[in-house]
Amino acid sequence: MKTAVITGTSRRLGAYLAEKLSAEGYQVFGLTRQLNPAQQYLTQIVVDYQSADSVMSAIRQLQQNGSIDLLIHNASLFEKDELHAHDSIDFYQALFAVHMQLPALLNQHLAAQIATTQGSGLIVHITDIYSENPNPAFSLYCSTKAGLENLMKSAAKAYAPQIRVNSIQPGPIMFLPEHSNSEKQQVMQQTLIAEEAGFEPIYQGVRFLIDNKFVTGLSLKIDGGRSLGK
């Protein structure tokens, strides 16, 4: 049985990927900030992403379970700068912990287990199209996602050829409940394929990266053309 480790599995994209991979026959370990009782199909490990000690405790649990075929860095914190005008330092540290420290520690300490899958081991960083073309309203978020993108490239060089490392840069796949109709319309007007695609295209991107053994160091945009604009 193949094994996948995914961060941020309690809801949205992480939950979708965990369920799809579980249905494929993967043993899925989900690193999450809170348990989801409905997710009986995966092994949930509660982690405080902002605590290096908590992350290392989770890593030790994962190290006891043998080889890992797939590691997906999905955990994310997406909020506007203006919401943290009075705690910007704490907010920035939280972004760094989730988007950069957590993936870096997992890559470093699980690489030996991923490398044992005889060249088919794969790490996927879920970044953002904003990592290349930042949105000034989310400048702190964008900068740490750019760091996650750069970390992917470094890891691709460091772990080749035993482990392939790639990123997926999502666009407007699924709006948040707090998005207003005007915000949704504005995004759609800037997207070549003007539809809310859902999470399936991201899963298809993961499947492409799993199946194509000659791809590493790739930033795969799955954004309906949003990064090009109109």
Side-chain angles (χ1 to χ4, degrees):
M1 177 182 291
K2 291 187 176 182
T3 299
V5 175
I6 308 173
T7 65
T9 53
S10 65
R11 63 189 187 100
R12 290 180 60 82
L13 177 59
Y16 188 88
L17 294 176
E19 185 171 6
K20 293 286 285 192
L21 290 169
S22 178
E24 280 191 31
Y26 278 81
Q27 180 184 21
V28 180
F29 291 88
L31 271 58
T32 179
R33 286 177 287 194
Q34 57 184 12
L35 292 174
N36 184 339
Q39 293 179 310
Q40 299 298 317
Y41 49 84
L42 77 158
T43 301
Q44 299 179 74
I45 302 175
V46 177
V47 182
D48 178 357
Y49 297 148
Q50 297 184 50
S51 166
D53 289 341
S54 179
V55 173
M56 289 305 302
S57 176
I59 286 171
R60 286 190 288 272
Q61 292 183 58
L62 292 169
Q63 288 173 333
Q64 298 173 4
N65 286 279
S67 64
I68 296 170
D69 299 272
L70 174 63
L71 170 60
I72 301 178
H73 299 301
N74 166 74
S76 187
L77 178 58
F78 181 69
E79 294 179 2
K80 289 184 177 180
D81 295 354
E82 65 182 23
L83 298 177
H84 297 276
H86 301 294
D87 66 338
S88 60
I89 293 177
D90 291 341
F91 178 53
Y92 208 13
Q93 290 175 338
L95 289 166
F96 171 80
V98 175
H99 297 156
M100 298 177 65
Q101 178 176 271
L102 173 66
L105 290 174
L106 290 172
N107 285 356
Q108 177 184 354
H109 293 283
L110 297 180
Q113 288 172 263
I114 301 171
T116 61
T117 56
Q118 299 181 348
S120 63
L122 174 65
I123 300 174
V124 179
H125 292 211
I126 305 294
T127 62
D128 198 298
I129 56 173
Y130 285 162
S131 64
E132 295 184 5
N133 184 17
N135 182 331
F138 296 87
S139 65
L140 301 182
Y141 165 87
C142 295
S143 67
T144 52
K145 281 291 188 173
L148 180 59
E149 185 72 29
N150 190 272
L151 182 65
M152 176 277 290
K153 295 175 182 178
S154 298
K157 292 181 178 182
Y159 301 139
Q162 289 84 6
I163 304 171
R164 296 180 296 111
V165 189
N166 299 279
S167 72
I168 292 177
Q169 298 181 353
I173 53 174
M174 182 71 76
F175 290 111
L176 294 166
E178 56 264 31
H179 282 118
S180 66
N181 287 332
S182 62
E183 287 175 321
K184 293 177 182 179
Q185 290 174 5
Q186 181 181 9
V187 169
M188 290 297 98
Q189 289 171 358
Q190 298 170 347
T191 306
L192 300 184
I193 302 175
E195 63 181 61
E196 189 176 2
F199 300 130
E200 180 64 15
I202 306 301
Y203 166 71
Q204 292 172 352
V206 171
R207 282 277 9 140
F208 164 75
L209 295 174
I210 291 172
D211 294 336
N212 194 319
K213 301 300 191 292
F214 200 58
V215 174
T216 195
L218 172 70
S219 300
L220 180 61
K221 290 182 175 63
I222 303 179
D223 66 346
R226 172 79 189 283
S227 54
L228 291 177
K230 288 187 177 180

